[in-house]
Amino acid sequence: MTFRKQMRTSESGKMEIQVIRDHLDIVKLQEKMNDIVFDYLDTSNNYPKAMRELNPLYTQVTTFYKNYVDERAGEIPSANTYWHLFIDCCAKLCYFLAASTYYSSNALQKTPEKVEQLLTVAAFSLPSIEQEENEQLLLAIFTLYSEVVEDEEKTTSLRNVVLEQKGAVKQCLQQFKLFVDNEITV
């Protein structure tokens, strides 16, 4: 394995996030995601553009994680600082992609199950749910989930299971692995 994998250009012509020593550059991923959220969700409500910009990041993150875990015979990474930041970023990415898809009404009509899946994995993957920022995001996830599924019992069930998990990083990484394994069939 080389020390540094070169940045590649994705199909959309945008630069992908670098992988350095078998780790995705979380700082760059977070910056890119924050820029997209600020530019297209927070300030302009340009949901279709946000969805188009977030999709390549989502694809890269899920592919990276699946390959990483598969190369280690399915072993989940340890719950160190890097993986805590990684799974936190993944959960937020899934939420923002779900929200942008949901509010791009044409896309929602084609993929309501996808939005539900993204919100479910966002809830299960969000670590440290006792921290104020993540607690607020979790409430936003449950609110949007309730709106999408229109089933309060299903929302309550998800909420209870997620709260029982308490945002433990190892469990979040495991939940993301299960999602990615179903999402990507290589």
Side-chain angles (χ1 to χ4, degrees):
M1 179 54 76
T2 60
F3 170 74
R4 176 184 234 162
K5 291 184 181 176
Q6 294 295 79
M7 290 182 81
R8 297 175 305 274
T9 304
S10 67
E11 292 170 14
S12 65
K14 298 191 180 354
M15 296 304 277
E16 292 185 1
I17 307 300
Q18 278 186 305
V19 176
I20 303 168
R21 286 193 255 161
D22 292 333
H23 288 77
L24 200 63
D25 187 340
I26 290 299
V27 173
K28 294 291 184 201
L29 176 63
Q30 186 71 51
E31 286 174 3
K32 182 74 174 152
M33 184 175 66
N34 288 345
D35 288 347
I36 294 167
V37 169
F38 180 77
D39 291 345
Y40 305 119
L41 295 179
D42 289 346
T43 58
S44 70
N45 293 337
N46 190 344
Y47 301 112
K49 178 79 170 164
M51 185 177 67
R52 283 191 306 274
E53 295 281 326
L54 290 169
N55 252 318
L57 291 179
Y58 166 79
T59 300
Q60 186 179 9
V61 164
T62 53
T63 302
F64 164 79
Y65 190 63
K66 176 161 182 49
N67 291 341
Y68 184 91
V69 173
D70 286 351
E71 287 170 5
R72 286 151 186 81
E75 186 178 330
I76 301 299
S78 62
N80 62 29
T81 302
Y82 172 82
W83 290 107
H84 185 277
L85 294 171
F86 175 84
I87 198 63
D88 184 74
C89 195
C90 289
K92 290 173 181 173
L93 179 60
C94 288
Y95 168 72
F96 292 130
L97 181 57
S100 63
T101 302
Y102 179 72
Y103 293 116
S104 300
S105 60
N106 292 338
L108 176 64
Q109 292 168 5
K110 297 175 193 168
T111 59
E113 301 85 19
K114 178 71 172 173
V115 172
E116 182 180 344
Q117 290 171 346
L118 286 168
L119 290 169
T120 301
V121 76
F124 276 120
S125 299
L126 188 65
S128 306
I129 58 175
E130 72 284 351
Q131 293 177 354
E132 186 177 352
E133 178 186 346
N134 284 1
E135 185 178 16
Q136 290 173 354
L137 180 62
L138 193 59
L139 288 174
I141 291 169
F142 292 144
T143 300
L144 185 56
Y145 183 85
S146 178
E147 198 174 318
V148 169
V149 300
E150 297 177 337
D151 182 340
E152 200 53 45
E153 191 175 307
K154 196 171 181 180
T155 303
T156 301
S157 176
L158 175 66
R159 180 182 296 116
N160 290 342
V161 174
V162 168
L163 293 176
E164 188 178 302
Q165 179 180 293
K166 298 180 181 168
V169 175
K170 196 74 169 176
Q171 286 181 304
C172 292
L173 289 165
Q174 178 64 40
Q175 290 293 335
F176 195 63
K177 178 196 180 302
L178 295 173
F179 172 75
V180 167
D181 283 346
N182 288 327
E183 183 72 1
I184 303 172
T185 50
V186 179

